[in-house]
Amino acid sequence: QVLLAESGGGLVQAGGSLRLSCAASGRTFSSYAMGWFRQAPGKERDIVGHISWSGGRTYYANSVKGRFTIARDNAKNTLYLQMNSLKPEDTAIYYCAAARRLGEWPPLDFGPWGQGTQVTVSS
């Protein structure tokens, strides 16, 4: 079982940047694709993007493409989400998650999940 812990959230003005981190422990981090998701108040959880186990392949939702970048450091068992040009509509709780199945691409199912970190973008 892998344990995930997000950090780096906070309050930022529109147009600003934040970098989220997701520290993993337990299961072999480098063998699984990883994803970032977000859930805004009153809305369902949506995918932000995901990254392959090596970091060589990524996918982004259209809403964040060109502004957000997902990266991973397998030596540090850490996943990152660099968020630039933030907009008020990016306000949400951000979660990281591990793909359930080893070596699957694209990842079709995720779990376990971190506890989430709040990102608030003011206008």
Side-chain angles (χ1 to χ4, degrees):
Q1 184 75 344
V2 64
L3 298 176
L4 303 171
E6 302 93 337
S7 62
L11 174 64
V12 63
Q13 288 189 331
S17 298
L18 279 176
R19 189 177 80 156
L20 306 184
S21 298
C22 171
S25 61
R27 190 174 71 181
T28 305
F29 176 76
S30 60
S31 298
Y32 293 83
M34 296 290 295
W36 283 101
F37 297 78
R38 66 186 182 184
Q39 187 167 20
K43 295 187 178 181
E44 295 186 352
R45 186 167 54 194
D46 287 331
I47 188 167
V48 172
H50 49 244
I51 187 168
S52 63
W53 50 93
S54 67
R57 289 175 286 184
T58 53
Y59 162 83
Y60 297 96
N62 286 336
S63 57
V64 307
K65 198 174 296 183
R67 300 188 298 122
F68 290 11
T69 302
I70 299 174
R72 66 190 297 164
D73 185 336
N74 287 340
K76 295 182 178 180
N77 284 0
T78 304
L79 175 74
Y80 302 100
L81 178 64
Q82 178 67 45
M83 304 185 293
N84 298 329
S85 302
L86 282 162
K87 305 175 181 179
E89 51 264 42
D90 294 318
T91 295
I93 300 174
Y94 283 72
Y95 300 89
C96 64
R100 288 194 187 277
R101 285 173 284 278
L102 177 69
E104 180 181 66
W105 186 264
L108 301 178
D109 191 21
F110 288 86
W113 298 78
Q115 83 288 351
T117 187
Q118 176 71 48
V119 172
T120 302
V121 184
S122 63
S123 57

